[in-house]
Amino acid sequence: MLIKRASDLKYSDITPREDYLNRRKFLQGLGLAGGLAIAGKGVADLVSPPARAYAGTKLSAKSPSPFDTTEKVTPPQVVTTYNNYYEFGTDKDQPAKNAQNFVTSPWTVSVEGEVGKPRKFTMDEILKLAPLEERIYRHRCVEAWSIVVPWIGYSLSNIINLVEPTPKAKFVAFESYFDRKQMPLWSRAGIELPYVEGLRLDEAMHPLTMLSIGMYGETLPNQDGAPVRMTIPWKYGFKSIKSLVKIKFVKDQPPTTWNITNAHEYGFYSNVNPNVDHPRWTQAREVRLPGYFKNTKTLMFNGYGDQVASLYNGMDLKKNY
Ligand code: MTE
């Protein structure tokens, strides 16, 4: 049995790389491209076998999702080799090289702060907490490049409802894993670490706000934020914090990494907004990778306005950039 149900799957079942490569050869012999098969969808067709830059464990996920974009999915080779993960280097190709031996098991995510039922979740618990869904989201980086990714996970609200936020909880603060030994380039990152992010509670509760544990039918590669990350498709990519270890419910707006680094250029909200340029470049257009030209029009809220615009009724989005 190559595809495990989430209920049987232990996160520690991560397939060793050699086994994975041998298995892939075997599957290719059988004519199954990359061995990928996720429920109801032909993502396998989008994955050319030699293009994989990581070895993940297959995840079976419900699809299609009502949140899916119909735009062309970006090849995984691009998504897994062109990354921002400053803990592993600031060049786009460095995370794929330097995060290869990052240890992501065992792993726990602590959910704490203003909640009635604080607790730590193991990855096995996170895997089984809610049915896994595949959602094809546009992902727009503040640097004006974008990709389209089939993420696997579920709405963060599943976890929030379990821990029961108190009436004092107005914001949610997120924190990434940080380890100087495993991330030797940390001192050249130019940002304070650990990487931190935040959302207003209603943004965190929005069904589009996703806790992602996989992409392209498999567990996340390290450079894309293994073993678990946030994906918030209407906000610039830097809000989507990787390798999550802490979710804390708080009263006040929490500090966020890029706002700490340069408050003039990066605000707390960071909603994709083609009408508010970055001080150093336009946000009206983007490069859809693997392209080279900024010839794709950027959409308000990255195209998710119908779902999320009401969260910002009455707010000046120029001031609250
Ligand atoms: N999370 C951590 N811990 N460290 C980072 O450097 N970079 C952010 C975000 N999450 C980052 C992070 C930025 S700037 C972007 S655009 C996205 O991750 C990139 O996600 P991707 O590499 O999967 O495309």
Side-chain angles (χ1 to χ4, degrees):
M1 219 6 216
L2 290 164
I3 301 166
K4 297 190 177 192
R5 288 174 201 285
S7 53
D8 317 324
L9 189 67
K10 273 209 161 39
Y11 202 80
S12 51
D13 287 345
I14 298 289
T15 317
R17 187 166 176 78
E18 302 87 294
D19 292 1
Y20 172 81
L21 292 174
N22 287 336
R23 193 183 67 197
R24 227 180 54 200
K25 267 195 199 141
F26 170 73
L27 288 165
Q28 280 163 21
L30 294 177
L32 301 171
L36 260 189
I38 50 175
K41 187 165 277 205
V43 168
D45 302 339
L46 303 160
V47 181
S48 55
R52 310 318 300 274
Y54 69 101
T57 293
K58 308 219 168 326
L59 292 172
S60 162
K62 193 176 131 213
S63 69
S65 154
F67 303 121
D68 283 351
T69 167
T70 53
E71 284 167 79
K72 193 167 172 243
V73 169
T74 310
Q77 172 66 14
V78 175
V79 173
T80 59
T81 57
Y82 191 91
N83 297 102
N84 278 333
Y85 198 163
Y86 275 37
E87 291 88 326
F88 291 106
T90 53
D91 292 345
K92 298 285 183 266
D93 60 342
Q94 282 182 316
K97 292 174 188 154
N98 298 334
Q100 276 191 19
N101 298 320
F102 180 37
V103 179
T104 59
S105 177
W107 192 275
T108 53
V109 179
S110 173
V111 187
E112 54 190 73
E114 290 293 345
V115 288
K117 296 183 172 167
R119 60 179 274 200
K120 284 195 165 79
F121 292 89
T122 64
M123 277 312 294
D124 290 341
E125 288 168 334
I126 288 176
L127 261 176
K128 290 170 193 165
L129 197 127
L132 297 181
E133 295 166 40
E134 186 193 56
R135 298 185 188 171
I136 305 175
Y137 278 170
R138 274 183 295 275
H139 180 64
R140 167 63 156 84
C141 180
V142 76
E143 297 160 345
W145 51 267
S146 62
I147 48 184
V148 175
V149 181
W151 301 101
I152 294 179
Y154 46 74
S155 299
L156 180 70
S157 60
N158 287 296
I159 287 200
I160 300 181
N161 289 332
L162 270 185
V163 298
E164 299 176 5
T166 71
K168 286 185 187 155
K170 302 287 182 227
F171 291 88
V172 188
F174 301 94
E175 190 176 306
S176 285
Y177 183 83
F178 178 47
D179 175 4
R180 290 173 175 77
K181 280 204 198 94
Q182 290 201 71
M183 299 163 163
L185 294 182
W186 71 272
S187 61
R188 293 195 228 155
I191 54 177
E192 260 181 44
L193 294 170
Y195 195 101
V196 289
E197 256 307 332
L199 293 173
R200 236 171 38 197
L201 182 62
D202 57 345
E203 295 178 319
M205 280 298 289
H206 194 281
L208 277 172
T209 299
M210 191 175 178
L211 191 74
S212 297
I213 58 165
M215 51 165 44
Y216 298 96
E218 300 183 356
T219 48
L220 287 173
N222 292 343
Q223 62 271 31
D224 282 277
V228 56
R229 66 174 291 170
M230 294 301 303
T231 313
I232 309 143
W234 74 95
K235 292 182 178 279
Y236 290 120
F238 65 83
K239 299 293 288 183
S240 293
I241 185 170
K242 295 179 171 179
S243 306
L244 192 60
V245 288
K246 196 195 286 183
I247 302 176
K248 187 170 183 181
F249 292 76
V250 292
K251 289 181 222 153
D252 302 313
Q253 184 175 301
T256 57
T257 291
W258 283 101
N259 185 251
I260 298 168
T261 311
N262 187 345
H264 173 59
E265 298 192 350
Y266 308 106
F268 176 79
Y269 282 93
S270 302
N271 293 317
V272 174
N273 189 341
N275 308 316
V276 178
D277 284 342
H278 186 280
R280 289 181 280 139
W281 57 82
T282 176
Q283 293 292 28
R285 290 178 307 283
E286 63 203 51
V287 180
R288 178 60 51 85
L289 299 180
Y292 295 101
F293 302 108
K294 246 192 209 181
N295 54 9
T296 299
K297 241 181 112 191
T298 292
L299 304 172
M300 188 65 200
F301 297 114
N302 203 23
Y304 298 93
D306 286 350
Q307 291 100 318
V308 302
S310 62
L311 292 173
Y312 309 102
N313 277 346
M315 269 179 79
D316 180 345
L317 296 178
K318 285 208 162 84
K319 258 195 212 147
N320 295 286
Y321 54 94

